[in-house]
Amino acid sequence: MRFLVTWVWIMPLNFLSLRHFRNHGDSQLHGLARFNVLTGDNGAGKTNILEAISLLAPGRGMRRASLSEMGAMQGPGGFAVSADLGDMKIGTGVTADMPERRKVRVNGAAASANSLAEWLSIIWLTPAMDRLFMESAGGRRQFVDRLVLAVDPLHARHASQYELAVRERNRLLADDIMPDPAWLDAVEARMAEYGALVAASRVAMIQQLNDVLDSETDKVFARPILALARGEQDMADNMLETWRNARPRDRQAKRTLDGPHRDDLIVTMRQKGQAAALCSTGEQKAMLIAIILAHSDLVASLKSNAPVLLLDEIAAHLDPVRRGVLYDRLSERAGQVWMTGTDRALFSGITSPRHFTVCGGAVHSDN
């Protein structure tokens, strides 16, 4: 059965402002469209605009940089990113006196970063993600968690609480004095509580993505099969016993060797039955695009509104046929799309895009 995407498309961003963000002193983008194309030389500040947009959702943004790194080097020390969503205004940033304390405002009122998920879902694909299948398991866990966060804002809190409990257990096990078993019992109970929630969310996301990918008929992009290396075991049922029995071993290692913090995303190319890590660079890129597009469809279906897609240098390594298929797919089923590149000609297949030229942190509208 084909997975059907049912959503009401609403223009998410119709105005964007960056003040003292990276190399942008005061950039304003008006009259935003469904497809927004940013072109310019390398280092001009195109990706910085996408990063700024990514901060209008929960999390650390698409570069996962510290807030203090985002302020302009010659600026006052803080930065501000704001946008209009119809009649609504949202914004985020930091001040010079508190460069690591993120502030969020919705229609002028203070709000939490997690509350941004009520208004926007943002998904991105960057060149740095091309090594997803080759890097550490930790990078793939972060990737899965970001996919989950787009549909479940509480996932960030559950993951944070689980990681805090794991660090506490590691601290106790590394102590020269054997910790009180009752203390470890309490810590492991917290680990099991939040670990079960984290594991369940990841498993659900993987299954839902596989359902979307199974329904695809497009044969141009490689079709991946996703799985978690740990499998679909219920953390709450067996991890307490596993952690209790593993205390001597983990005490010797001075860290917890089992649990959701050891999960790994396993990706297999369906057409070849081959692990993604063993596929060609082009096949890996195609599978990554397929996952991102499937996730966009899933978010649109679950939230009845398509997410904002940030596609950094997406066209540079695609041949004309694959570019055409990608643009057709985005036109049919995507919400607002932001794309960057050095050559405007790469985007000639997009219908009615809004073109911006970026140069030295300044943005100029081309149409």
Side-chain angles (χ1 to χ4, degrees), residues 247-310:
R247 286 174 185 174
R249 180 202 63 183
D250 290 353
R251 181 168 169 77
Q252 185 174 8
K254 296 185 177 181
R255 59 193 177 96
T256 303
L257 298 176
D258 291 308
H261 60 290
R262 305 282 290 181
D263 283 355
D264 192 4
L265 173 66
I266 304 300
V267 180
T268 305
M269 183 177 172
R270 184 186 303 268
Q271 291 93 325
K272 292 184 176 181
Q274 183 170 284
L278 301 177
C279 293
S280 70
T281 301
E283 289 169 337
Q284 291 178 359
K285 181 76 171 184
M287 283 188 282
L288 190 53
I289 291 174
I291 293 171
I292 294 299
L293 294 180
H295 186 241
S296 177
D297 286 350
L298 178 62
V299 172
S301 178
L302 294 175
K303 305 190 98 174
S304 298
N305 191 20
V308 175
L309 276 177
L310 310 178

Side-chain angles (χ1 to χ4, degrees), residues 68-357:
S68 60
E69 296 176 10
M70 299 179 188
M73 292 183 63
Q74 305 301 322
F79 71 84
V81 176
S82 60
D84 290 355
L85 288 73
D87 295 331
M88 178 176 293
K89 295 182 180 294
I90 62 174
T92 189
V94 301
T95 55
D97 57 331
M98 291 184 287
E100 286 295 348
R101 182 177 179 182
R102 182 180 178 189
K103 296 181 178 181
V104 173
R105 301 191 77 81
V106 177
N107 283 338
S112 68
N114 283 341
S115 71
L116 291 172
E118 299 176 25
W119 317 111
L120 275 180
S121 293
I122 302 176
I123 301 169
W124 55 81
L125 181 58
T126 69
M129 294 165 61
D130 288 352
R131 290 192 55 79
L132 178 71
F133 307 123
M134 307 299 294
E135 65 177 11
S136 68
R140 288 185 289 275
R141 280 194 301 275
Q142 289 179 356
F143 176 73
V144 173
D145 286 340
R146 181 164 59 78
L147 300 184
V148 174
L149 186 60
V151 298
D152 180 12
L154 288 177
H155 183 70
R157 179 177 180 273
H158 297 158
S160 176
Q161 290 296 317
Y162 172 73
E163 290 165 3
L164 284 172
V166 171
R167 287 198 293 270
E168 176 65 9
R169 183 176 186 269
N170 291 346
R171 186 187 67 79
L172 292 172
L173 291 174
D175 200 302
D176 292 337
I177 301 174
M178 182 65 184
D180 184 345
W183 198 346
L184 281 171
D185 286 344
V187 172
E188 289 166 0
R190 286 207 321 273
M191 289 169 59
E193 175 187 358
Y194 291 106
L197 295 171
V198 169
S201 294
R202 289 173 179 168
V203 168
M205 174 56 62
I206 295 301
Q207 183 57 59
Q208 289 170 316
L209 284 175
N210 278 330
D211 290 344
V212 179
L213 291 164
D214 285 345
S215 73
E216 287 298 332
T217 58
D218 170 32
K219 297 182 180 180
V220 173
F221 289 106
R223 296 176 62 188
I225 302 173
L226 313 180
L228 283 178
R230 181 181 45 83
E232 300 184 8
Q233 54 188 328
D234 186 344
M235 295 294 301
D237 287 347
N238 56 26
M239 276 294 101
L240 280 175
E241 181 180 356
T242 297
W243 286 323
R244 189 175 294 113
N245 293 336
R247 286 174 185 174
R249 180 202 63 183
D250 290 353
R251 181 168 169 77
Q252 185 174 8
K254 296 185 177 181
R255 59 193 177 96
T256 303
L257 298 176
D258 291 308
H261 60 290
R262 305 282 290 181
D263 283 355
D264 192 4
L265 173 66
I266 304 300
V267 180
T268 305
M269 183 177 172
R270 184 186 303 268
Q271 291 93 325
K272 292 184 176 181
Q274 183 170 284
L278 301 177
C279 293
S280 70
T281 301
E283 289 169 337
Q284 291 178 359
K285 181 76 171 184
M287 283 188 282
L288 190 53
I289 291 174
I291 293 171
I292 294 299
L293 294 180
H295 186 241
S296 177
D297 286 350
L298 178 62
V299 172
S301 178
L302 294 175
K303 305 190 98 174
S304 298
N305 191 20
V308 175
L309 276 177
L310 310 178
L311 304 177
D312 194 16
E313 299 289 348
I314 187 66
H317 303 294
L318 295 178
D319 59 54
V321 171
R322 285 178 170 81
R323 282 202 303 271
V325 170
L326 173 63
Y327 297 159
D328 288 345
R329 168 84 177 268
L330 293 173
S331 179
E332 291 171 2
R333 289 152 62 177
Q336 189 175 56
V337 182
W338 292 74
M339 310 174 90
T340 68
T342 57
D343 185 356
R344 181 168 170 170
L346 293 173
F347 305 100
S348 60
I350 300 175
T351 302
S352 302
R354 187 82 160 99
H355 281 285
F356 297 92
T357 297

Side-chain angles (χ1 to χ4, degrees), residues 30-94:
H30 297 267
L32 302 178
R34 186 180 178 192
F35 288 92
N36 301 281
V37 177
L38 309 171
T39 55
D41 295 337
N42 292 328
K46 304 183 299 297
T47 302
N48 293 340
I49 294 175
L50 300 193
E51 182 184 25
I53 297 171
S54 74
L55 293 176
L56 297 174
R60 295 175 55 186
M62 70 183 210
R63 282 187 173 125
R64 294 186 60 82
S66 65
L67 293 169
S68 60
E69 296 176 10
M70 299 179 188
M73 292 183 63
Q74 305 301 322
F79 71 84
V81 176
S82 60
D84 290 355
L85 288 73
D87 295 331
M88 178 176 293
K89 295 182 180 294
I90 62 174
T92 189
V94 301

